Amino acid sequence: MADGGAADGLGREEAIDRLRLVRTPEIGPVSYRQLIRRFGSAGEAIVAIPELARRGGGAAPAIASRDDAQREMARVASLGARHLFLNTFRRHDVDL
């Protein structure tokens, strides 16, 4: 996988940011989906999280690090696998 395991339809940076977002404590699947929909990209959502938390009266969660996400993506790619992210899966990629 020349792209280091980035999902189809996503650039490497967006794939890393999506992985960071999904690996962030307190960001579950519903919040993940809402953030992507609202901000258009995981990168923009990550930038917005501290302000959203402040407005909500709480502390921002510790966003998963870029280094951790890159290591995970490299490990997954080394195993011949890849991450599947919301709205990037193509049915013909899987033999049923």
Side-chain angles (χ1 to χ4, degrees), residues 8-68:
D8 289 338
L10 292 181
R12 180 165 173 73
E13 291 305 309
E14 178 64 10
I16 289 168
D17 286 341
R18 284 189 180 207
L19 187 55
R20 290 178 67 205
L21 193 59
V22 80
R23 296 289 185 248
T24 296
E26 302 177 35
I27 304 290
V30 173
S31 295
Y32 172 85
R33 187 179 201 119
Q34 290 172 340
L35 287 164
I36 296 292
R37 187 178 314 130
R38 179 173 178 182
F39 294 100
S41 74
E44 292 298 320
I46 288 168
V47 169
I49 286 172
E51 176 62 16
L52 292 171
R54 186 192 65 73
R55 279 194 253 156
I63 308 276
S65 78
R66 178 170 295 284
D67 287 343
D68 286 346

